[in-house]
Amino acid sequence: MEPITKIRLSEQVIDAIKEMIVKDGFNPGDKFYSENQLTAKLNVSRSSIREAIRILEAVGKVRVEHGRGIFITDSVEDPFSAFSGWLRNNAQSIVEHFEVRLMIDPKAAAYAAEKADEQDIESLTKVCDKFKQLSGSNNTAGIIKCDEEFHRLLAKATKNRTLYFLMKAMTDSLSEGWISSLHTPGRIEKTVSEHKEVVEAIVSRNPQKAEQAMTLHLNNALDDIRKSMSSEKKD
């Protein structure tokens, strides 16, 4: 397989890993390549490999056993059942993720409403349009990356470099929140309208409305995740 060069989008890394599983003859139950081996084989950053593996685990393609490695799962398993198990295993980190984002994103939206320039607004509008376009597809990895890009661009629009690099680090390394949210039934469709409300508040230069819209967006996402967790416990 040809190395992936100058490509950091996890959706392309995911496609390459899926192809590798088939071409290299891995079967359910087999131990897969390590993160270090995948990094070398695909010539991408370890963070890109890690995020791709997280997404593949959430959709039931692989299983990560800490201290043992990555294993191929049964391809006929119900994807929602696989996600429910992933959600249960990552519950604490998901809640912590949203606790931190509720401290950061609403204020970022407020500052963006005050400081965003025309290029910032154009970029936010474009990524919202792309998210809406992808929302009807099965390209989960692309949708997750698009959502991460929205929040990264929002932080950039604040003109605060520290905030931007903090959000970039979160989207690069702490993807559990985005994965869990966008796999929850109905959340993608809700996110389309919630992102739109945030952008509209920024365009109208209304910091209070932008902060409220972002707070509502994150709380709604967390509520949906908690409902999924509760449903899983009952089952």
Side-chain angles (χ1 to χ4, degrees):
M1 178 176 294
E2 292 296 320
I4 298 176
T5 57
K6 298 181 181 179
I7 295 175
R8 299 188 62 189
L9 293 176
S10 64
E11 57 194 287
Q12 290 166 298
V13 179
I14 287 171
D15 288 340
I17 292 174
K18 286 180 178 177
E19 183 181 347
M20 187 181 292
I21 290 171
V22 175
K23 285 193 173 182
D24 292 2
F26 286 95
N27 295 308
D30 288 348
K31 186 174 182 179
F32 193 48
Y33 299 121
S34 68
E35 287 184 3
N36 285 338
Q37 288 173 315
L38 290 170
T39 298
K41 286 177 178 291
L42 299 179
N43 193 27
V44 294
S45 68
R46 188 165 182 174
S47 63
S48 294
I49 294 295
R50 192 166 292 168
E51 182 174 14
I53 291 298
R54 284 191 184 113
I55 295 172
L56 287 169
E57 184 181 21
V59 299
K61 296 295 184 183
V62 301
R63 180 181 72 258
V64 177
E65 296 186 10
H66 297 291
R68 295 192 62 211
I70 303 165
F71 294 83
I72 308 301
T73 55
D74 189 343
S75 59
V76 300
E77 182 179 3
D78 177 11
F80 184 74
S81 295
F83 170 65
S84 296
W86 180 89
L87 195 64
R88 183 177 62 252
N89 294 334
N90 291 274
Q92 184 61 35
S93 62
I94 290 166
V95 171
E96 290 174 355
H97 170 98
F98 274 93
E99 287 175 346
V100 172
R101 287 183 59 197
L102 278 163
M103 298 176 196
I104 296 173
D105 282 87
K107 288 300 181 184
Y111 283 121
E114 295 177 346
K115 300 182 180 182
D117 57 32
E118 290 304 315
Q119 185 176 352
D120 293 323
I121 292 173
E122 182 181 355
S123 297
L124 284 166
T125 301
K126 283 183 177 179
V127 79
C128 282
D129 290 342
K130 183 179 179 182
F131 188 97
K132 184 177 181 179
Q133 181 182 356
L134 289 173
S135 65
S137 72
N138 293 321
N139 186 1
T140 306
I143 293 169
I144 290 169
K145 293 302 292 183
C146 200
D147 190 29
E148 292 175 346
E149 182 67 9
F150 173 80
H151 289 273
R152 194 159 48 237
L153 287 171
L154 186 73
K156 186 177 180 181
T158 67
K159 309 305 180 185
N160 184 310
R161 285 171 53 85
T162 300
L163 180 58
Y164 171 71
F165 285 114
L166 177 60
M167 182 57 68
K168 187 175 185 301
M170 288 183 67
T171 57
D172 286 345
S173 306
L174 301 172
S175 57
E176 286 89 348
W178 280 275
I179 295 171
S180 59
S181 174
L182 296 174
H183 275 79
T184 303
R187 176 93 306 260
I188 291 174
E189 292 76 12
K190 294 175 186 176
T191 298
V192 171
S193 60
E194 290 166 0
H195 279 184
K196 182 180 178 183
E197 289 180 11
V198 173
V199 173
E200 286 176 349
I202 293 171
V203 171
S204 64
R205 302 296 181 185
N206 189 327
Q208 183 178 5
K209 186 177 178 181
E211 183 173 349
Q212 290 172 344
M214 179 58 74
T215 301
L216 182 63
H217 167 50
L218 294 175
N219 278 324
N220 285 345
L222 184 54
D223 285 346
D224 286 343
I225 292 168
R226 282 174 168 155
K227 287 175 185 177
S228 290
M229 289 179 181
S230 177
S231 175
E232 168 63 17
K233 286 179 182 178
K234 290 178 182 178
D235 293 341

